[in-house]
Structure formats: structure tokens, C-alpha cells
Amino acid sequence: MTDHTPPPPHICPNCDGFASAAITFGGRNARGQLRTITAHCPVCHGTGTVPARVREGARA
């Protein structure tokens, strides 16, 4: 009997798998650290993949 494995998830077409980015505010806090926020891809919600049922190139 063969072992069935699920297909690998598709890479998000919106972010090409780079689902999160750190964005600086352009200044430093009192400790000298850069002030940053994390932005996530709105299509894949920061996972970098989309379910197999969503075709590549489709926009959500």
C-alpha cells in the first residue's frame, strides 16, 4: 500500500513567500534601538503560503 502525502502548500503570489517585513520609523528610542513595526502580507496573513484550493495569481 502506498503512503499518500498531502501536496506541499503553494507559495503566496502576493509576497512570494516573504510574508513579514520589519519597517523602521526612522528614529531611535531612548535606549538607542531602532523603532520598528512588523507588517504581514494581507493575503496569507504572515504564513507565506496559501491553501492549494486558491490558484496562483488570484488576489484575495
Side-chain angles (χ1 to χ4, degrees), residues 2-59:
T2 60
D3 215 8
H4 295 286
T5 58
H10 294 273
I11 294 176
C12 176
N14 235 24
C15 64
D16 290 328
F18 297 97
S20 298
I23 302 170
T24 64
F25 283 125
R28 296 189 179 264
N29 63 13
R31 296 176 139 187
Q33 300 167 330
L34 285 174
R35 298 182 320 176
T36 61
I37 60 170
T38 304
H40 298 290
C41 174
V43 174
C44 66
H45 304 290
T47 62
T49 60
V50 292
R53 69 184 182 328
V54 177
R55 293 186 345 206
E56 288 185 357
R59 303 285 183 201

